[in-house]
Amino acid sequence: MAAISDTSGGRNMRIGILTSGGDCAGLNAVIRAVVNRAVRKHGWQVIGINQGTDGLIARPVRAMPLDFDSVPGNIMMMSGTILGTTSRGDPFALADSSGTVTDYSDAIIKGYHELGLEALIGIGGDGSLSILSRLAAKGDWNLVAIPKTIDNDVGLTETAIGFGTAVQVATEALDRLHFTAASHDRVMILEVMGRDAGHIALHAGIAGAADVILIPEIPYTLEAIRTKIRRRAERGKNYNLIIVAESVKTEAGRPVTMEHGDGRRRYGGVGQYLAARIGEMTRAETRVTVLGHVQRGGIPASSDRLLGSAFGVYAVDLIAAKNFGRMIAWQNRQVIDVAIEDAIASYVSVDPDDALVHTARGLGICLGDDADD
Ligand code: F6P
């Protein structure tokens, strides 16, 4: 980084960009759009910060100048992020493997100022945007935020980068499971991500013609699922496709989680729980597919490439207008901006009265709460 001279203002302005939190498809479309707009329209320098805020903790700071050659058209087809990212946790209180907690905020702020940046574009989900917002307040950063998350739970935007691809991947998985389920007369259970929200399961469940969709926002009973399976059998359909969001609890309300190597518990296992219970109750052969991080990778859907491009261009224009503390959002077919704080404060899970919940019920899909669906 030492090779980049310090600059400020006007056409010599220098801005930074980082990706934070879990990766997803469409992040490279944002980076490409930011570089194109910033360089073409304004003649600015763009500095890509590596591994999110971890890159600002490192000494020397981990960052690289981005120009047209860094963002060729073919990065639109690449998932992940060419900058790298971090999801290690809250840098204001980060625990190491021995349990020692350290506040890295001063180091991050110092790293940022060493780069001579006049503004930062931070791409993240609600957790990352909240951290970046706190860093911006403490470190006097000019922050513009872009929402990305396959979970689609960031407030004040109808969609976030990565969601479209995750839904596409989950839909394709149901498509593939359909015929193997039918061939063997099996109950196929697909467990999908989404953290505490059921958006992926609901969208993919409708698009992929699931028979049962289970989401954390709608409590279910195993009896309702059994009735659905029985009624389909009465109509000669001896197979069933069930899609379940990872944060759906046991019937008794216990979260299903797994401890990982880093000692943190993450969602996982509800598919196996359901398979065992449904197998016991119906004697049906059950099989489970856990889709996992496949939903974050692969070839980005066109919707994420478009959203990423639109958000990236808009973010640069917001900086040019010196309009900071804003998050780019998609509402009513328009790209707009909202206060980052307001977006973080309005987490969005599935509304049980949502239009797509009605769609699912209208199609006769069982949502687990009513055997007469
Ligand atoms: O928030 C995105 C997400 O993919 C969730 O859907 C999932 O629960 C979690 O991240 C997985 O996190 P990790 O990448 O740490 O396994």
Side-chain angles (χ1 to χ4, degrees):
M1 264 320 300
I4 299 168
S5 58
D6 193 10
T7 57
S8 63
R11 289 188 67 76
N12 292 323
M13 189 146 115
R14 180 186 291 174
I15 66 168
I17 179 169
L18 62 76
T19 45
S20 181
D23 73 308
C24 62
L27 294 173
N28 293 324
V30 182
I31 299 164
R32 176 172 175 266
V34 164
V35 172
N36 272 282
R37 186 64 166 175
V39 176
R40 270 181 216 288
K41 167 85 177 163
H42 304 288
W44 296 345
Q45 277 188 306
V46 182
I47 306 299
I49 296 162
N50 298 120
Q51 309 305 136
T53 47
D54 280 0
L56 296 172
I57 295 173
R59 294 294 179 272
V61 164
R62 294 186 58 199
M64 57 191 185
L66 297 174
D67 58 17
F68 294 132
D69 290 339
S70 326
V71 290
N74 62 14
I75 64 167
M76 294 291 255
M77 303 166 214
M78 290 164 50
S79 57
T81 158
I82 59 167
L83 297 177
T85 186
T86 180
S87 57
R88 284 201 300 148
D90 179 2
F92 283 85
L94 204 56
D96 66 16
S97 51
S98 70
T100 309
V101 175
T102 308
D103 178 353
Y104 287 98
S105 59
D106 287 335
I108 292 169
I109 288 164
K110 191 158 180 285
Y112 173 89
H113 289 300
E114 274 178 21
L115 292 174
L117 302 177
E118 291 175 60
L120 176 71
I121 296 175
I123 311 166
D126 58 348
S128 297
L129 296 188
S130 159
I131 290 166
L132 289 173
S133 210
R134 286 164 65 204
L135 287 166
K138 183 173 178 186
D140 201 19
W141 298 356
N142 293 324
L143 177 67
V144 166
I146 292 183
K148 68 88 218 166
T149 168
I150 67 165
D151 308 332
N152 205 25
D153 54 2
V154 175
L156 303 185
T157 183
E158 285 157 21
T159 188
I161 289 151
F163 177 62
T165 304
V167 170
Q168 181 65 29
V169 171
T171 302
E172 279 173 23
L174 283 176
D175 292 346
R176 288 167 195 270
L177 290 172
H178 206 114
F179 299 102
T180 175
S183 301
H184 284 271
D185 283 349
R186 282 176 173 161
V187 174
M188 289 292 190
I189 298 171
L190 178 67
E191 180 181 314
V192 295
M193 284 183 164
R195 213 178 285 265
D196 296 308
H199 298 287
I200 297 175
L202 178 63
H203 284 239
I206 293 171
D211 304 299
V212 179
I213 299 175
L214 299 179
I215 58 175
E217 296 86 351
I218 299 181
Y220 70 95
T221 64
L222 291 163
E223 187 52 40
I225 300 169
R226 174 165 56 180
T227 304
K228 175 72 180 176
I229 292 172
R230 196 193 66 234
R231 288 191 179 155
R232 273 177 58 80
E234 286 164 3
R235 297 202 318 275
K237 305 278 188 193
N238 289 317
Y239 68 94
N240 287 271
L241 289 176
I242 299 179
I243 185 166
V244 57
E246 61 180 353
S247 59
V248 165
K249 299 184 166 101
T250 65
E251 194 181 31
R254 184 177 54 80
V256 189
T257 60
M258 284 183 197
E259 185 164 332
H260 287 242
D262 59 5
R264 282 160 72 178
R265 296 200 76 84
R266 293 178 176 83
Y267 288 125
V270 69
Q272 287 295 350
Y273 160 80
L274 288 169
R277 298 308 316 276
I278 291 168
E280 278 162 25
M281 289 176 77
T282 65
R283 300 277 137 223
E285 252 196 292
T286 56
R287 294 287 188 275
V288 181
T289 302
V290 180
L291 209 45
H293 295 79
V294 171
Q295 291 155 100
R296 301 208 318 221
I299 299 178
S302 56
S303 58
D304 282 323
R305 302 184 200 193
L306 289 172
L307 199 65
S309 302
F311 280 8
V313 168
Y314 193 100
V316 170
D317 290 351
L318 266 189
I319 292 173
K322 302 203 180 315
N323 198 354
F324 303 117
R326 311 292 293 172
M327 185 192 84
I328 322 298
W330 182 265
Q331 286 181 14
N332 299 323
R333 301 167 71 101
Q334 309 250 13
V335 184
I336 60 154
D337 55 278
V338 299
I340 298 174
E341 274 67 32
D342 293 345
I344 293 167
S346 46
Y347 176 85
V348 186
S349 53
V350 175
D351 179 351
D353 207 23
D354 185 273
L356 285 181
V357 171
H358 287 286
T359 301
R361 293 192 195 284
L363 289 165
I365 297 172
C366 171
L367 292 165
D369 57 341
D370 182 354
D372 290 330
D373 281 339

